[in-house]
Amino acid sequence: MEEHRYSEFLGPRFWSTWLGIGIGRGLVFLPFRFQLWLGRGLGRLTYRLAKKYRHTATRNIETCFPDLSPAEQKELVRRHFKCVGMAFMEMGYGWWASPRRIRKRMEVVGLENLIEAHERGKGVVLLTGHFTCMELTSIMLALCGLPIHGYYRRNKRNLLADEVIKRGRGRYAESLIRREDLRGLIRALRANAIVWFASDQMVRESKRSVMVPFFGEPALTHTGLIDITRMSGAVVVPFLPIRTRTSGRYRLQFLPALDNFPGDDPKKDMLRVNRLIEAKILEDPAQYFWIRPRFGKRPAEYEDIYRASKALSDA
């Protein structure tokens, strides 16, 4: 992957980005628990100011957890924004803290499942979801001693931010594979690579998308995982990380490789994937990325749950 020199980004248009980078790097030297405390404060501020994201998160949570009371739903939205704020702090910690400090925060469960799958020699797709701790836990994943490859979406709007993200995410990874480079992804898997992959929020209208329930609500779900495993012959190992709420540590859980995947019915396959993600979300619902429109771009016969304005004004 092409790498730029930072000297290419000294113009005024990048000064605000450099300021953010400087603040992020400086915060890494603070105690980690204090960083998370600052993150929760940032999340509370974002909850107040980011009305669009607050609306989206509120509608997602109302849709997925209808049995909660309005007060409980509102509290869950507030907790979610605290998790989003902590995610910003975790991102810088993962990119710039020392490996020793990062390893101190890791708890690994089921690594033998990943090792066993990798020893089959067919490549491994590490299936995960969009949890708020995913930036830091993906760095932790690369510190587990196995050849991990990242899956990467280029930031075309800000090339300096793109360069920082590439270097941060690729800090301990074998390589980063661009999302549009399908041939490179298949080639890596056929060479027995282990590739981090999260498509649960790849919401797009295409022939590879199907309507599959997510917490009981029909959601447009991309079937790229099925295509990738069929073309490469790779096995799929669920990788489900979570931020522990009390100890300031992160649990990286690897489940056994999925049997008979993919099957004959794409909808059943993706429902199986959604059920895995849902089960992890239920451990702490605030840690999923609810600020993204998981139920967006649905066909016209389905309600647009984000169109209503009540949550936008009342949250």
Side-chain angles (χ1 to χ4, degrees):
M1 181 175 293
E2 181 184 3
E3 187 169 285
H4 296 273
R5 291 179 296 178
Y6 281 140
S7 59
E8 298 176 39
F9 306 109
L10 299 179
R13 61 176 294 204
F14 297 111
W15 288 357
S16 60
T17 305
W18 278 117
L19 177 62
I21 293 169
I23 293 172
R25 296 206 68 161
L27 289 172
V28 168
F29 294 100
L30 298 174
F32 185 62
R33 286 181 180 273
F34 183 66
Q35 292 179 51
L36 294 185
W37 179 82
L38 290 174
R40 289 191 291 272
L42 176 62
R44 285 191 290 268
L45 180 63
T46 306
Y47 173 84
R48 296 282 186 184
L49 300 179
K51 292 184 178 181
K52 180 179 179 181
Y53 286 129
R54 188 178 70 211
H55 173 65
T56 300
T58 299
R59 293 299 295 128
N60 282 334
I61 286 171
E62 288 173 345
T63 300
C64 294
F65 301 99
D67 294 335
L68 295 180
S69 69
E72 290 171 328
Q73 291 171 343
K74 188 171 183 178
E75 178 58 26
L76 181 53
V77 175
R78 289 180 183 273
R79 284 208 303 115
H80 170 60
F81 273 85
K82 292 179 184 178
C83 290
V84 172
M86 286 189 284
F88 280 102
M89 299 299 166
E90 292 164 351
M91 183 167 56
Y93 191 81
W95 292 353
W96 295 307
S98 68
R100 180 186 62 82
R101 291 181 69 192
I102 295 173
R103 285 193 176 97
K104 285 173 60 177
R105 299 284 168 187
M106 294 170 52
E107 297 176 5
V108 182
V109 179
L111 184 61
E112 66 277 4
N113 293 318
L114 175 56
I115 293 173
E116 187 276 330
H118 189 234
E119 287 176 346
R120 299 184 195 182
K122 297 181 178 181
V124 178
V125 176
L126 272 179
L127 171 65
T128 190
H130 281 75
F131 300 97
T132 55
C133 62
M134 66 181 188
E135 280 289 346
L136 178 53
T137 54
S138 65
I139 300 293
M140 291 176 168
L141 173 65
L143 290 172
C144 287
L146 291 168
I148 306 296
H149 298 250
Y151 201 46
Y152 166 73
R153 180 180 181 180
R154 189 182 182 193
N155 185 339
K156 297 180 180 179
R157 295 181 179 179
N158 187 326
L159 294 181
L160 172 57
D162 181 73
E163 188 65 26
V164 173
I165 292 169
K166 279 192 303 186
R167 295 191 187 198
R169 291 181 177 176
R171 188 177 178 190
Y172 305 111
E174 288 288 307
S175 73
L176 292 178
I177 302 169
R178 285 184 178 170
R179 194 172 74 174
E180 62 270 21
D181 186 11
L182 180 60
R183 290 183 179 179
L185 174 60
I186 300 302
R187 188 164 53 247
L189 288 170
R190 287 176 176 172
N192 201 27
I194 303 172
V195 179
W196 183 99
F197 186 83
S199 63
D200 55 308
Q201 294 197 0
M202 193 182 293
V203 179
R204 60 174 64 172
E205 298 173 282
S206 79
K207 62 182 181 181
R208 291 188 174 88
S209 294
V210 293
M211 293 297 291
V212 178
F214 184 71
F215 281 100
E217 180 72 17
L220 204 59
T221 305
H222 200 267
T223 61
L225 174 66
I226 295 173
D227 299 331
I228 290 166
T229 52
R230 280 186 174 149
M231 287 189 284
S232 66
V235 296
V236 178
V237 172
F239 167 60
L240 302 171
I242 195 168
R243 178 193 305 111
T244 60
R245 293 180 63 182
T246 56
S247 66
R249 294 171 65 84
Y250 299 79
R251 184 178 304 116
L252 283 60
Q253 182 183 21
F254 302 92
L255 298 183
L258 299 183
D259 292 327
N260 303 314
F261 187 93
D264 298 326
D265 187 334
K267 287 189 176 182
K268 289 183 178 178
D269 287 335
M270 298 317 297
L271 179 60
R272 186 179 177 188
V273 169
N274 282 358
R275 291 288 182 262
L276 285 167
I277 302 297
E278 290 171 12
K280 195 64 180 181
I281 290 171
L282 289 175
E283 292 184 23
D284 186 359
Q287 293 195 38
Y288 191 66
F289 259 114
W290 298 113
I291 60 174
R292 302 182 68 170
R294 182 63 185 89
F295 302 102
K297 300 183 180 180
R298 299 193 295 185
E301 62 265 29
Y302 294 92
E303 176 194 3
D304 180 356
I305 70 167
Y306 306 110
R307 183 173 297 172
S309 61
K310 183 177 185 300
L312 186 61
S313 59
D314 291 352

